[in-house]
Amino acid sequence: MSTTIVHLVRHGEVHNPDRILYGRIPGYHLSTRGHQMAARTAESFRGHDVTFLAASPLQRVQETAQPIAKVTGLDVVTDKTLIESGNRFEGLHVKGLRSALWNPTRWPLLKNPLQPSWGEPFTEIADRMMNAVERARVAAEGHEAILVSHQLPIVMVQRTAMGLKLPHAPWNRECDLASVTSLLFKGDELTDIFYSSPAHEI
């Protein structure tokens, strides 16, 4: 029975001086620190048996994937299903005294945090991400695959793999910038999940 590992890498720190929720807005690139994070995480894969590499189409993720491509010698496959979750608060400040969430006109979007009512449903995120994981497992069967994506989509994979409910408190997430969530498969059966943060010191 073959053993396959699918690694999910979160992108590095983003240059976001206006501190908005950028979501799927194009053009948001890594900060200098973010590039350092990406390079450190890429180095953690040196010597690994990686045969498949895919990434979300958004710029910050493509930039995170590039040093991984150099270390592994692989081309980056752009996979739209690895994209950030949809969110109707994109482009707005959502934290602190300037938060757009203080505006009563937006309160109807907050009516159901278990769905969530302000964006792409958790179930849809989990479904598309688990499908991407399965495609990667098949593509790299007997070896390792890397999928570079975003925090919430990766958290949906984590919670699905651990049999947890998808709705959760954001402050309880374990998915740091440039972190790695690794899924271990025996044949087509998911048998274990591991987490590491190679860039935590940066």
Side-chain angles (χ1 to χ4, degrees), residues 51-201:
T51 61
F52 181 78
L53 171 61
S56 158
L58 294 177
Q59 182 175 346
R60 59 189 181 272
V61 176
Q62 291 285 319
E63 291 178 354
T64 301
Q66 285 308 308
I68 299 175
K70 290 180 181 178
V71 166
T72 61
L74 298 171
D75 293 329
V76 180
V77 175
T78 298
D79 185 343
K80 293 181 179 179
T81 67
L82 296 174
I83 200 168
E84 177 65 283
S85 54
N87 194 310
R88 294 176 67 181
F89 295 129
E90 279 183 4
L92 302 176
H93 294 275
V94 294
K95 295 181 180 179
L97 296 176
R98 298 175 61 194
S99 173
L101 304 186
W102 294 112
N103 187 335
T105 63
R106 296 193 171 91
W107 290 354
L109 291 175
L110 302 172
K111 64 183 179 181
N112 185 4
L114 301 181
Q115 185 181 29
S117 50
W118 58 82
E120 184 180 6
F122 292 135
T123 53
E124 292 183 11
I125 303 169
D127 286 347
R128 64 175 168 85
M129 287 297 294
M130 292 307 295
N131 286 336
V133 167
E134 176 60 12
R135 291 194 302 273
R137 183 196 68 79
V138 171
E141 188 167 4
H143 306 277
E144 299 176 52
I146 299 174
L147 304 178
V148 191
S149 187
H150 308 264
Q151 185 186 51
L152 182 55
I154 294 173
V155 169
M156 291 296 94
V157 173
Q158 293 173 339
R159 298 186 73 81
T160 299
M162 292 186 287
L164 301 175
K165 293 181 179 179
L166 299 182
H168 62 285
W171 50 86
N172 287 334
R173 294 173 182 169
E174 186 176 46
C175 190
D176 294 336
L177 291 166
S179 62
V180 183
T181 298
S182 303
L183 306 178
L184 177 67
F185 291 87
K186 295 291 186 180
D188 61 0
E189 181 183 358
L190 176 60
T191 60
D192 215 338
I193 179 171
F194 305 94
Y195 176 83
S196 63
S197 187
H200 72 280
E201 294 180 350

